[in-house]
Amino acid sequence: MSAVYSVKEIYIYPIKSLAGISLQSAKAEEMGFENDRRWMLINTENVHVTQREYPIMSQFYPQILEGKITISFEDENHEFLIEEHLENKIESHVWDDKSEVFEVNKDSSKWFSDKLGFECKLVKILKNGDRKHESSGLNETFNVSLADGYPYLLIGTESLDFLNEKLEDKITITRFRPNIVVSTKKAHEEDDFKAFTIGDVQFRNIKPCGRCIMVNNDPQKGIVKKEPLKTLSKYRNVNNSVLFGTNIVSLNNGIITVGDEVVF
């Protein structure tokens, strides 16, 4: 019999705010899974751009194979090497956090600019420590990739099931862009997870995740609707923040795999 708490799905999102990749296993690192949100698009003011302003970004689908990332959009593909980048450092931000990044190459920046209809650059964060996120609530600083706030987002299966019971149009877990989906017994019990281990990786829960308008973007169509934020706000609004899923950090490097038990 399978464990009550076990890993059901694993996702990475190589380029911030583009579609994700479902994996059977992933390497956990301090700043997030390997190749998770190590890239992002920035505008001419070096500010990150996301689905919040450009819902069509959900229609760009990445794949990783043999040291390359291939992006599919409509009927076109574009690829670049995971290791490539130009030499000139760019000072950017992810929200309030300073982020040191490097442009991947001019061709990739032009391709995304042409497809999105505005000038932008594809940039990469190179190493641990190039972006630090300060948690005011915990008075701690975390090394993070280019994710919004924390390296990992974990969601329990019962949380989605409970929400779907209230929705006329059912949604999938991809709407919330988790890194780790685990089987649970009760809705939102992941909020109260403390320290736990998956595979040989130790994780620590930081705080429940406040959600924004981005979860209303249908990732299959790139169309923003009123749900699920409207329904969630009726029963998951805490201090004017709508919560779904929880932010966690890893305490060591290691591999986790779909089917691994969550050990408390």
Side-chain angles (χ1 to χ4, degrees):
M1 185 175 69
S2 61
V4 172
Y5 298 98
S6 63
V7 176
K8 293 299 182 185
E9 298 173 77
I10 297 171
Y11 295 93
I12 62 170
Y13 309 87
I15 302 178
K16 182 179 181 66
S17 234
L18 270 56
I21 302 174
S22 174
L23 300 176
Q24 285 298 301
S25 64
K27 181 182 179 182
E29 301 173 338
E30 181 182 3
M31 59 194 294
F33 282 136
E34 182 180 29
N35 294 323
D36 181 44
R37 288 166 291 197
R38 299 303 201 268
W39 296 265
M40 69 177 177
L41 294 167
I42 59 174
N43 61 21
T44 54
E45 297 178 343
N46 293 340
V47 175
H48 70 281
V49 295
T50 72
Q51 289 183 36
R52 296 169 182 85
E53 303 85 21
Y54 305 99
I56 197 172
M57 290 175 71
S58 67
Q59 305 303 290
F60 289 77
Y61 297 94
Q63 291 294 330
I64 298 178
L65 183 66
E66 296 179 349
K68 293 182 180 180
I69 295 183
T70 300
I71 308 295
S72 300
F73 176 69
E74 296 179 342
D75 58 349
E76 292 191 37
N77 293 332
H78 177 78
E79 66 180 26
F80 57 91
L81 296 174
I82 286 177
E83 297 299 329
E84 72 176 300
H85 63 85
L86 302 181
E87 294 303 318
N88 293 332
K89 179 175 65 177
I90 298 173
E91 294 291 345
S92 184
H93 285 78
V94 176
W95 304 115
D96 294 330
D97 304 336
K98 292 181 180 179
S99 305
E100 183 178 295
V101 295
F102 294 80
E103 187 173 10
V104 171
N105 62 56
K106 297 298 182 182
D107 287 343
S108 293
S109 295
K110 184 179 186 305
W111 188 81
F112 278 105
S113 297
D114 290 344
K115 300 309 171 193
L116 289 169
F118 61 89
E119 186 177 347
C120 60
K121 292 178 181 177
L122 177 67
V123 298
K124 179 184 182 181
I125 187 170
L126 294 191
K127 63 184 185 300
N128 203 28
D130 283 351
R131 184 264 179 116
K132 296 180 179 295
H133 177 69
E134 295 184 8
S135 171
S136 57
L138 295 174
N139 195 28
E140 292 186 54
T141 300
F142 299 94
N143 291 319
V144 191
S145 61
L146 301 172
D148 270 359
Y150 293 91
Y152 300 90
L153 176 68
L154 180 144
I155 297 177
T157 53
E158 285 299 312
S159 301
L160 179 66
D161 291 346
F162 187 71
L163 171 60
N164 270 329
E165 290 174 2
K166 304 174 186 303
L167 295 177
E168 182 176 344
D169 296 323
K170 312 305 180 188
I171 62 174
T172 67
I173 202 71
T174 57
R175 185 70 66 100
F176 296 98
R177 299 174 68 82
N179 292 113
I180 305 171
V181 181
V182 300
S183 57
T184 48
K185 296 185 289 186
K186 299 183 297 184
H188 306 294
E189 63 179 309
E190 62 270 23
D191 291 2
D192 299 318
F193 288 179
K194 303 300 181 185
F196 55 94
T197 300
I198 301 175
D200 57 358
V201 183
Q202 296 178 318
F203 290 94
R204 174 187 165 203
N205 194 6
I206 301 300
K207 69 173 188 63
C209 181
R211 311 313 299 238
C212 68
I213 191 68
M214 193 166 145
V215 301
N216 284 351
N217 184 25
D218 182 344
Q220 303 302 317
K221 301 177 181 178
I223 298 174
V224 179
K225 302 179 180 179
K226 293 183 179 180
E227 295 289 9
L229 209 55
K230 179 181 178 181
T231 294
L232 274 174
S233 65
K234 295 177 181 178
Y235 71 98
R236 289 291 292 170
N237 193 324
V238 179
N239 296 325
N240 293 318
S241 183
V242 179
L243 306 179
F244 197 94
T246 197
N247 299 121
I248 64 175
V249 297
S250 63
L251 304 182
N252 63 292
N253 294 354
I255 303 296
I256 79 166
T257 301
V258 170
D260 282 350
E261 184 177 356
V262 181
V263 181
F264 299 96

